[in-house]
Amino acid sequence: MNILISKGRVIDPANRSDAVQDVYVSGGKIVALGQAPQDFVAERTIDASGLVVAPGFIDLAARLREPGFEYRATLESEMEAAMAGGVTSLAIPPDTDPALDEPGLVEMLTYRAKKLNRAHIYPVGALTLGLKGERLSEMAELVEAGCVAFSQANVPVVDNAVLMRALQYAATFDFRVWLQPLAPFLSRIGHAHDGEVATRLGLTGIPVAAETVGLYTYLELAKATGARLHITRLSSAAGLALIDQARTEGVDVTCDVSINHVHLCDMDIGYFDPNCHLIPPLRSQRDREALCKGLADGRINALCSDHTPVDDDGKQTPFSESEPGATGLELLLPLTLKWADRAGLSLLDGLARITSDAAKIVGITKAGHLSVGARADVCVFDPAAHGIVTREGLKSQGKNTPFLGMELPGKVRYTLVEGQVMYEGR
């Protein structure tokens, strides 16, 4: 279908473009901006007056729960949530059941997603078989099956010799490794940030050292092997300082932070709110402020939802017994807008963290921007509209989020994937 998106404020961070102009879509691609191409006849016109036209958003951490955890969520429900949130590309962590450690599993997942004809998925393969940290996965075969990187999700590798071999192998073939910094013996029994709040509530704490010890190990091994490293879901000021130092020493490292950790801190646990039970834990207000500043100045490269749907049985329990995680696909845009406004950033710079900057980390070249010839993955949203987050309003099967009841800015009006209108909101 030939689609004209007319009179919208087109914001394209990759091309540093912010202007009111028309966007012409044909054959699943953007064929022109501003001036209609010759012989172009629109079969549908979307009036974007007063709205922002942006590249479809790219989420670096979205658990769709298939295979293995369909009672928590399904590909169908989470793809619908992605469309409602304007998220057109999803990086999928490997902690499914079974883990994404075999080419057949990866091909099955991508085939299922393609049949649903919604968001594009980019599987992140398991670094070790079964995420057990003992034997390396067949990385080359997994890349051929569609994996864009390798990770252990939330399961750290205890044996550093195994991790070093994995990084050496990845460096040989220029595969990027995504790791979440968790020292296993410092984090395995805790439930909240090790601070005054956890002490007052009687919760076992997870110290910042659980992140920095793990992170220091990863950075030293990356320095020794030359591997390209991406640190996922950073949570502390001390962790960011280590990354800053590693970069001065020549380590090729990027990092991201979740929407939860730039808006919340350990004080938001309140009276044992299980929706605030997250991994990594919500840390101190000082950590949150450092993460917001690092994201604003570009030292933190991208913002992700860390979408982790949990069923009600997993959350309606005492805090320490609840399952960690929060839904976030539909909140990625509103919380990005809220963070950018508080940081004093323009829409152009704020949206970069979930479009062009995220695309670079995944390695996507045909999305994350609105260049002529690019894949027509587009989000049209109203930045001035506000809405209250409710369980009924979330399309995700997981209704668990610390932001329930909050009023947030930004409403998605249209989501296009490869030139097809996949979502229309009010």
Side-chain angles (χ1 to χ4, degrees), residues 20-369:
V20 175
Q21 57 183 327
D22 295 339
V23 179
Y24 298 87
V25 175
S26 180
K29 295 183 178 181
I30 296 171
V31 293
L33 296 167
Q35 196 77 21
Q38 190 174 7
D39 300 328
F40 183 91
V41 178
E43 299 170 72
R44 177 172 182 180
T45 298
I46 294 173
D47 183 4
S49 302
L51 305 179
V52 169
V53 181
F57 309 130
I58 298 169
D59 195 344
L60 298 180
R63 290 173 172 83
L64 305 185
R65 293 310 201 184
E66 284 195 36
F69 300 105
E70 288 82 358
Y71 63 94
R72 294 173 183 160
T74 63
L75 276 180
E76 288 88 345
S77 67
E78 304 319 289
M79 287 291 195
E80 289 301 321
M83 293 298 93
V87 181
T88 57
S89 296
L90 308 167
I92 312 300
D95 51 348
T96 51
D97 184 20
L100 296 181
D101 61 359
E102 293 184 4
L105 288 171
V106 175
E107 290 166 355
M108 179 272 293
L109 184 62
T110 53
Y111 174 76
R112 282 264 294 127
K114 191 170 184 178
K115 282 199 70 174
L116 290 173
N117 196 28
R118 293 292 188 270
H120 306 282
I121 70 164
Y122 295 90
V124 178
L127 189 65
T128 61
L129 291 178
L131 299 176
K132 294 178 180 178
E134 297 170 356
R135 291 190 297 154
L136 305 189
S137 63
E138 295 292 343
M139 295 187 211
E141 293 181 8
L142 289 170
V143 167
E144 289 180 4
C147 287
V148 296
F150 297 93
S151 172
Q152 283 290 110
N154 295 340
V155 187
V157 176
V158 177
D159 189 336
N160 287 332
V162 173
L163 182 56
M164 187 166 188
R165 286 200 301 273
L167 291 176
Q168 287 171 332
Y169 186 89
T172 300
F173 296 95
D174 200 30
F175 301 151
R176 186 175 286 276
V177 177
W178 296 14
L179 295 175
Q180 183 169 351
L182 288 171
F185 299 107
L186 290 173
S187 61
R188 62 181 179 178
I189 61 171
H191 305 100
H193 170 62
D194 188 12
E196 293 180 7
V197 173
T199 300
R200 186 177 72 247
L201 297 177
L203 297 172
T204 305
I206 300 176
V208 169
E211 177 164 283
T212 55
V213 169
L215 182 54
Y216 185 81
T217 300
Y218 298 162
L219 293 172
E220 285 296 304
L221 291 178
K223 188 193 306 182
T225 60
R228 293 196 300 153
L229 191 61
H230 177 68
I231 300 300
T232 67
R233 285 149 282 166
L234 197 67
S235 74
S236 70
L240 180 56
L242 280 177
I243 290 175
D244 289 340
Q245 178 61 34
R247 285 170 173 160
T248 66
E249 298 171 358
V251 178
D252 185 353
V253 57
T254 55
C255 59
D256 66 53
V257 64
S258 84
I259 51 176
N260 304 305
H261 288 77
V262 294
H263 288 288
L264 305 172
C265 65
D266 58 348
M267 295 181 67
D268 291 295
I269 292 174
Y271 292 100
F272 304 98
D273 181 3
N275 285 325
C276 290
H277 186 189
L278 305 170
I279 296 295
L282 296 172
R283 298 213 177 271
S284 69
Q285 185 172 337
R286 173 181 168 273
D287 288 311
R288 181 188 66 190
E289 291 171 354
L291 295 173
C292 288
K293 182 179 179 181
L295 186 62
D297 63 28
R299 289 177 296 148
I300 297 177
N301 304 87
L303 190 58
C304 71
S305 74
D306 195 16
H307 179 70
T308 309
V310 178
D311 62 327
D312 287 342
D313 288 344
K315 283 294 185 183
Q316 294 176 356
T317 60
F319 188 95
S320 60
E321 298 174 16
S322 64
E323 185 177 342
T327 193
L329 276 174
E330 295 157 84
L331 304 179
L332 182 60
L333 171 63
L335 291 173
T336 298
L337 296 178
K338 186 177 178 67
W339 157 76
D341 180 65
R342 192 173 66 199
L345 295 182
S346 65
L347 275 176
L348 184 73
D349 291 327
L351 291 175
R353 303 297 184 268
I354 56 173
T355 56
S356 55
D357 294 341
K360 291 175 186 175
I361 293 171
V362 181
I364 304 172
T365 58
K366 53 190 175 182
H369 56 92

Side-chain angles (χ1 to χ4, degrees), residues 2-13:
N2 289 351
I3 298 175
L4 166 61
I5 305 173
S6 71
K7 303 174 184 176
R9 179 184 172 188
V10 179
I11 296 181
D12 184 4

